[in-house]
Amino acid sequence: MILLTRLALAGNDIRAGPTAPGFLTPGLIATLDAKFGLRLISTPDQTLAETLGA
């Protein structure tokens, strides 16, 4: 529900996961990544490094 709200409000650079919600197919994830910057969370260390730009 939060993901859908952020998309409706045109949120950018959204992190979701670590498991994608069931309604997100690989094609939809790619589209949302291109339009909104949706990224799936991997490991906490890797996600934190990406977020902080390290």
Side-chain angles (χ1 to χ4, degrees):
M1 185 62 83
I2 293 171
L3 176 60
L4 295 175
T5 302
R6 295 232 14 224
L7 292 172
L9 296 173
N12 291 326
D13 298 324
I14 300 169
R15 303 277 178 175
T19 304
F23 63 88
L24 292 180
T25 62
L28 184 55
I29 291 172
T31 301
L32 293 174
D33 180 25
K35 187 167 183 173
F36 297 104
L38 176 73
R39 303 273 194 276
L40 294 180
I41 294 170
S42 53
T43 64
D45 292 333
Q46 182 180 3
T47 302
L48 184 59
E50 290 172 359
T51 303
L52 298 176

